[in-house]
């Protein structure tokens, strides 16, 4: 077990381990789990009284109604070797997933629905009702991903893409430089199908008309198709719980109520951290930090802030920020489908290309938009009965909204109005969100999301974005050259936000290599 002493808040050593990890979000816990599995002593320090960061399940509305407060789908994580190859045997620690079919039901602007199945050919049949050409384009998109793009995408996630040495990496990089909007409109002709593909492409909350998003229609569409909505049974918080159990099983510690305020540097090397209460945790070999990389420069004590940390601070922007409405419902949400029937689904989509375009324009003006907004509807009770009692359900509506409202308006007032407008808009298109069905509502503005987790700076739950001097925008900071012994991880580090576990796994690999240990003992090559 990592050694701990009382620590009186006077700068005395409260604990010592090989690796001290700042934060217990899912990425830092992924790092901790791999490092512990490799035989290193690990201490994880979390500021809040719960672990998980944005991967948490909590009672937000009524007792017994368990909501995923931020993340809900773990789709990107499924292709991470952590889960794909079961590298850490997390099922042993209580983690299990179900992969729903249908994956998504998309309500279209003409009042019809498009059902996305896990079988691409079944979805193509749905699309063919609208456009035979688009049905074939949908199948080609899947084929192209499998044959040409999936392997380079894995290398990009791992930070090993090499367009100079590999032809497929070069083609992948070229496609990434296009925008999602361009790719969707080049390949598909029907307005409803375009609405569906762009709705999917917006899942990582990046502007779809921006260069650099051209891979999203491929990566997100094929991922949703292959894995469905990838629901963790028991809630999103089951992932960090399983990782923490592994760490503790391997002799490490995961401690809550320990907000870290400084990374301590001795003789040019990170040697530990100091918490807000004054207690110090010493690191024999390394410090891993999931603190917001744009704030890391202000946390370094005992040395000048490294140039990479200062550059990250200058380059960071919150990007598009989020607004959530958590609902306790009498029953699950159902979506009308052809033939006068309806279907229950974990995930539903509302919105259109035109609506999303107007919503982003409104966002840039500091205004909310509820006429035809992009909305993700998540109701996990469709496959997981643990979320609410007595056959009832939890539900979340997610969209974008500005952190600062134009005209000096106050989110304390606007929050309820905008939430009501979103629920009314959604209730007109799906069943189960009418006034009689809603038991309780808890809206959260971008300001509320920031208060919930300081890592959600500016209301950005996906880590925001970084704008280089040449105007290039990337979702995660890739320059990890900080101080010796200091390794950043988390949503602000390449490849960016969402529940992918990639920043955590990449960081663990780098730590092991630089400590002269063989990563192959706990992970594969990717």
């Amino acid at each position: 077990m990592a050694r701990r002493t009382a620590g009186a808040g006077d700068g005395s050593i409260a604990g010592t381990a090989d690796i001290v990890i700042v934060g217990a979000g899912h990425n830092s816990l992924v790092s901790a789990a791999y490092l512990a599995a490799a035989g290193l002593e690990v201490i994880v320090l979390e500021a809040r009284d719960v672990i998980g960061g944005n991967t948490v399940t909590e009672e937000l509305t009524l007792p017994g109604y368990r909501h995923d407060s931020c993340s809900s789908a773990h789709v990107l994580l499924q292709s991470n070797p952590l889960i794909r190859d079961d590298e850490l045997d997390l099922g042993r620690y209580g983690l299990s997933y179900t992969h729903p079919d249908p994956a998504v039901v998309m309500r279209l602007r003409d009042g019809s629905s498009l059902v996305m199945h896990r079988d691409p050919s079944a979805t193509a049949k749905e699309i063919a009702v609208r456009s035979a050409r688009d049905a074939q384009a949908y199948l080609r998109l899947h084929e192209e991903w499998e044959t040409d793009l999936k392997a380079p995408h894995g290398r990009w996630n791992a930070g090993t893409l090499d367009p100079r040495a590999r032809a497929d990496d070069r083609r992948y990089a070229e496609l990434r430089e296009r925008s999602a909007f361009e790719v969707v409109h080049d390949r598909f002709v029907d307005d409803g199908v375009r609405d569906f593909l762009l709705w999917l492409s917006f899942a990582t909350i990046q502007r779809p008309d921006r260069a650099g998003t051209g891979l999203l229609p491929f990566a997100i569409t094929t991922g949703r198709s292959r894995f469905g909505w990838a629901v963790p049974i028991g809630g999103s918080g089951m992932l960090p719980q399983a990782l923490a159990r592994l760490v503790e099983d391997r002799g490490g510690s995961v401690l809550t109520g320990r907000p870290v305020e400084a990374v301590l540097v001795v003789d040019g090397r990170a040697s530990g951290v100091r918490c807000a209460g004054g207690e110090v945790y010493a690191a024999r070999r390394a410090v891993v930090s999931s603190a917001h990389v744009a704030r890391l420069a202000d946390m370094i004590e005992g040395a000048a802030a490294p140039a990479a940390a200062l550059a990250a601070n200058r380059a960071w922007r919150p990007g598009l920020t989020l607004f959530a409405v958590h609902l306790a419902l009498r029953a699950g949400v159902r979506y009308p489908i052809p033939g006068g029937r309806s279907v229950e689904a974990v995930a539903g989509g509302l919105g259109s290309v035109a609506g999303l375009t107007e919503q982003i324009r409104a966002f840039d003006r500091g205004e909310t938009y509820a006429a035809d907004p992009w909305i993700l509807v998540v109701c996990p009770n469709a496959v997981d009965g643990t979320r609410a009692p007595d056959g009832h359900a939890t539900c979340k509506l997610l969209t974008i909204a500005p952190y600062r409202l134009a005209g000096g308006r106050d989110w304390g007032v606007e929050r309820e109005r905008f939430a009501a407008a979103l629920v009314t808009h959604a209730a007109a298109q799906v069943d189960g969100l009418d006034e009689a069905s809603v038991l309780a509502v808890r809206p959260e503005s971008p300001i509320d999301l920031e208060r919930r987790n300081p890592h959600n700076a500016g209301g950005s739950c996906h880590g925001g974005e970084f704008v280089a001097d040449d105007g290039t925008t990337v979702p995660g900071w890739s320059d990890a050259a900080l101080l010796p012994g200091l390794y950043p991880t988390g949503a602000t580090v390449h490849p960016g936000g969402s529940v992918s576990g990639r920043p955590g796994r990449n960081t663990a690999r780098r730590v092991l290599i630089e400590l002269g240990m063989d990563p192959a003992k706990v992970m594969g090559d990717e």
Side-chain angles (χ1 to χ4, degrees):
M1 199 69 172
R3 181 169 58 85
R4 291 179 287 168
T5 56
D10 58 359
S12 59
I13 302 297
T16 301
D18 292 324
I19 313 292
V20 174
I21 297 183
V22 180
H26 89 276
N27 275 303
S28 49
L29 285 169
V30 167
S31 285
Y34 277 112
L35 296 172
L40 294 165
E41 286 187 302
V42 174
I43 290 179
V44 181
L45 304 172
E46 168 57 40
R48 299 176 65 197
D49 59 358
V50 296
I51 64 171
N54 282 337
T55 314
V56 176
T57 305
E58 303 171 281
E59 293 182 349
L60 298 179
T61 54
L62 299 172
Y65 290 77
R66 304 180 67 245
H67 300 263
D68 291 334
S69 52
C70 287
S71 69
S72 55
H74 292 190
V75 183
L76 299 182
L77 186 70
Q78 304 306 302
S79 60
N80 186 324
L82 169 70
I83 300 298
R84 185 192 69 202
D85 301 334
D86 197 20
E87 288 180 333
L88 295 179
D89 191 18
L90 292 181
R92 176 184 171 193
Y93 299 97
L95 182 65
S96 63
Y97 287 97
T98 185
H99 302 282
D101 196 352
V104 176
V105 180
M106 180 75 188
R107 295 288 287 150
L108 300 175
R109 65 181 99 175
D110 61 7
S112 65
S113 296
L114 199 161
V115 180
M116 182 186 191
H117 301 278
R118 292 186 59 200
D119 179 357
S121 62
T123 307
K125 288 180 181 178
E126 298 265 353
I127 293 173
V129 174
R130 306 182 65 88
S131 167
R133 172 180 166 179
D134 284 353
Q136 291 303 309
Y138 183 79
L139 292 175
R140 283 195 300 274
L141 181 146
H142 281 266
E143 292 166 2
E144 202 170 335
W145 174 259
E146 290 295 325
T147 59
D148 300 333
L149 300 173
K150 184 167 71 172
H153 187 64
R155 291 191 287 273
W156 179 81
N157 275 315
T160 60
L161 192 78
D162 190 354
R164 293 170 298 181
R166 291 173 173 266
D168 54 348
D169 284 11
R170 186 159 52 253
R171 181 175 178 279
Y172 174 92
E174 291 169 353
L175 185 55
R176 282 200 71 88
E177 289 310 306
R178 303 192 69 203
S179 74
F181 186 92
E182 289 173 326
V183 170
V184 168
H185 282 74
D186 282 355
R187 289 172 174 261
F188 300 92
V189 296
D190 179 79
D191 285 341
V193 177
R194 286 174 169 175
D195 292 344
F196 166 59
L197 268 295
L198 206 70
W199 182 89
L200 286 170
S201 302
F202 192 64
T204 56
I205 318 299
Q206 298 179 59
R207 292 174 183 263
D209 60 347
R210 189 178 67 204
T213 60
L215 232 290
L216 296 178
F218 292 88
I220 295 178
T221 302
T222 57
R224 291 321 190 252
S225 177
R226 182 178 179 187
F227 300 114
W229 205 250
V231 175
I233 297 300
S236 198
M238 294 301 289
L239 172 62
Q241 293 294 335
L243 292 163
R245 291 186 190 110
L246 185 155
V247 169
E248 291 166 348
D249 189 40
R250 298 301 181 98
S253 298
V254 180
L255 308 178
T256 58
R258 266 73 165 191
V260 172
E261 66 176 13
V263 175
L264 306 179
V265 180
V266 176
D267 295 329
R269 184 175 184 84
S271 63
V273 304
R274 186 181 65 249
C275 293
E279 64 272 31
V280 170
Y281 290 86
R284 286 187 289 265
R285 308 192 73 175
V287 172
V288 171
S289 174
S290 66
H292 200 294
V293 72
R295 295 176 171 175
L296 200 51
D298 296 330
M299 295 175 64
I300 293 172
E301 188 173 296
L310 294 171
N313 184 286
R314 292 192 299 271
W316 184 80
R317 306 288 185 274
L320 297 172
T321 53
L322 294 171
F323 186 98
V325 185
H326 301 282
L327 302 152
L329 303 177
R330 295 189 184 279
V333 171
R334 299 191 68 87
Y335 299 85
I337 59 173
R341 298 172 295 141
S342 66
V343 62
E344 190 174 16
V346 171
L350 308 176
S352 67
V353 172
L356 179 57
T357 300
E358 288 302 314
Q359 187 175 17
I360 292 174
R361 288 173 179 165
F363 180 99
D364 290 338
R365 297 193 302 268
E367 298 174 358
T368 59
Y369 176 84
D372 179 24
W374 181 96
I375 297 180
L376 164 63
V377 184
V378 183
C379 191
N381 293 79
V383 294
D384 182 4
T386 70
R387 306 298 184 95
D390 305 322
H392 292 181
T394 61
C395 182
K396 176 167 62 179
L397 308 182
L398 189 69
T399 192
I400 61 170
Y403 183 84
R404 290 186 176 84
L405 295 170
R409 287 174 295 155
D410 183 358
W411 265 122
V413 176
E414 181 68 8
R415 180 197 301 116
E416 306 297 330
R417 186 207 67 78
F418 186 46
L422 293 174
V423 173
T424 298
H425 177 78
Q429 301 183 66
V430 301
D431 301 327
L433 291 175
D434 56 283
E435 186 174 349
S437 300
V438 176
L439 303 174
V441 181
R442 177 169 172 171
E444 293 191 314
S445 73
I447 291 175
D448 299 315
L449 295 173
E450 183 180 54
R451 288 171 181 158
R452 166 185 296 285
N453 181 354
H455 206 284
N456 297 335
S460 175
C461 295
H462 282 72
E465 59 195 29
F466 296 85
V467 182
D469 293 339
D470 64 359
T472 303
T473 302
V474 296
W477 189 251
S478 58
D479 187 352
L482 297 177
L483 290 164
L486 177 58
Y487 300 85
T489 193
T492 54
V493 174
H494 177 83
S498 297
V499 184
S500 74
R502 292 286 188 166
R505 187 175 182 275
N506 292 347
T507 299
R509 175 184 292 279
R510 181 166 174 244
V511 171
L512 291 172
I513 290 171
E514 295 191 8
L515 291 182
M517 302 175 70
D518 185 3
K521 293 182 178 180
V522 291
M523 64 176 71
D525 293 335
E526 183 182 311

